[in-house]
Amino acid sequence: MSTETARQVLNGATMGTRWALTLHAPDEIDTAALRAACQDEVDRIDAQMSTWRLDSDLMRFNAAPLGVWHDLPAALMEVLQEALFIGRESGGAFEIAMGDAVRAWGFGPVPADEAAIRAAMAKPRRPSFETLELDPVQGRARKHAEMSLDLCGIAKGYGSDRLIAAAQAAGITCALASINGELRAIGKPPGDRGWAVALERPDFGHRAIHSMFELNDIAIATSGDYRHWVRVGDRHLAHTMDPARGAPLIGGPASVTVLADSCIRADALASACMVLGASRGKALAARLGAEVICLTEADRSPDKQRAS
């Protein structure tokens, strides 16, 4: 096989956005087969974890009765295990049983609903790491309390990991996988120190670069208040849910970026650190071997800062 490599970009649709795999590979690599393998990976994740599809494995589990073991596919089980781990380690700041609140505020497949918002905020909540029981050996799970699971804060990161796994299975050693703002890099482009990735300023309706990273065998994920949000009166509310309120987070960082060994962990930690805030978030990340960059209102472009 030739040692000469060429830069190529593969992409496709998934989870309401786009996936991309940028790679350096010999011409002999069958990129059509690799693209198909990547699409299969993200399609499998969507079929198992989507909250927009009533037939997904996740939604079927959400509808399952309490106390009854329910068979789950391996990928969904893997994501649930990581979600409960981060939930426990973060003291409940990362919480996947917030699907009712996500939908109520209009961040899911239905418009915001005032009655549903009141119900979500009034609902007594116990953390899912206490009420969701997993049996990975048998590939099954059961609920001990009513819950509506939503994996939007972790599934895309897992998807980027699976894109890299598909690339590695094809013999690729230099690639950057991306789904939305969740990225995983292996190797480094020829002649460079790493994959150049921009961290955006947390500006509303405007894209500007805050800083640059050079990624080499690491994952990066960002969560913030400036892309997915709703306006209620004169208040701008982001999609990150505060488990303590059953409602969108108020007073958190403008954005949190996490660098970790896997994108599934970076993704979940970014959401957890939004809720925890800079000090407690950085302590959590350090304990788990990750790094955190928190941006605040002061890091927005001057003309994009909130007036309120």
Side-chain angles (χ1 to χ4, degrees):
M1 181 176 287
S2 169
T3 57
E4 295 295 321
T5 64
R7 183 181 186 274
Q8 302 185 59
V9 180
L10 312 178
N11 59 75
T14 187
M15 300 183 232
T17 185
R18 303 284 296 178
W19 65 265
L21 182 71
T22 305
L23 59 129
H24 286 264
D27 291 336
E28 292 86 348
I29 290 290
D30 186 345
T31 52
L34 176 56
R35 188 198 176 283
C38 288
Q39 192 66 55
D40 285 346
E41 288 284 358
V42 295
D43 286 349
R44 178 166 55 92
I45 294 168
D46 193 52
Q48 292 185 22
M49 305 178 205
S50 175
T51 56
W52 294 67
R53 297 173 51 168
L54 294 178
D55 64 342
S56 73
D57 294 282
L58 180 68
M59 293 301 284
R60 287 201 297 268
F61 181 63
N62 278 342
L66 298 184
V68 177
W69 286 110
H70 188 90
D71 292 337
L72 297 179
L76 178 54
M77 177 64 72
E78 184 178 354
V79 172
L80 289 176
Q81 285 181 281
E82 180 70 8
L84 296 190
F85 173 76
I86 298 299
R88 185 177 295 107
E89 290 293 316
S90 67
F94 182 72
E95 178 53 72
I96 56 174
M98 298 294 293
D100 59 316
V102 171
R103 286 192 302 275
W105 286 89
F107 292 112
V110 296
D113 180 89
E114 186 175 345
I117 288 172
R118 289 196 297 269
M121 294 183 71
K123 178 182 177 180
R125 296 182 188 272
R126 290 176 59 198
S128 55
F129 60 80
E130 293 180 354
T131 55
L132 176 58
E133 184 179 1
L134 304 181
D135 180 2
V137 174
Q138 297 295 323
R140 59 184 186 169
R142 61 180 172 181
K143 301 175 292 184
H144 298 288
E146 291 290 347
M147 63 180 66
S148 178
L149 302 178
D150 186 302
L151 300 177
C152 63
I154 192 170
K156 291 183 177 70
Y158 178 70
S160 291
D161 286 336
R162 294 311 307 165
L163 291 174
I164 289 296
Q168 291 174 319
I172 305 298
T173 59
C174 180
L176 177 69
S178 171
I179 301 179
N180 217 13
E182 285 63 62
L183 299 92
R184 169 92 178 267
I186 55 170
K188 55 186 179 181
D192 292 332
R193 294 184 300 179
W195 291 93
V197 172
L199 173 61
E200 288 187 329
R201 286 185 181 275
D203 292 345
F204 305 106
H206 173 73
R207 291 187 178 271
I209 294 175
H210 175 274
S211 53
M212 295 292 298
F213 295 93
E214 291 179 318
L215 306 183
N216 187 349
D217 295 320
I218 200 166
I220 187 169
T222 297
S223 184
D225 67 1
Y226 55 97
R227 286 288 175 264
H228 305 296
W229 50 275
V230 295
R231 185 170 294 281
V232 177
D234 61 353
R235 176 166 281 177
H236 153 211
L237 300 175
H239 71 291
T240 299
M241 291 293 154
D242 181 355
R245 299 178 60 242
L249 178 67
I250 295 174
S255 77
V256 171
T257 297
V258 175
L259 294 101
D261 290 337
S262 66
C263 204
I264 187 175
R265 179 149 298 180
D267 197 6
L269 281 176
S271 296
C273 293
M274 283 288 293
V275 175
L276 290 172
S279 179
R280 290 192 297 157
K282 289 179 180 180
L284 168 64
R287 193 168 73 246
L288 297 181
E291 296 183 47
V292 172
I293 299 98
C294 287
L295 301 185
T296 67
E297 184 73 19
D299 292 297
R300 304 190 206 274
S301 300
D303 62 335
K304 299 297 177 181
Q305 294 180 4
R306 282 183 282 193
S308 52

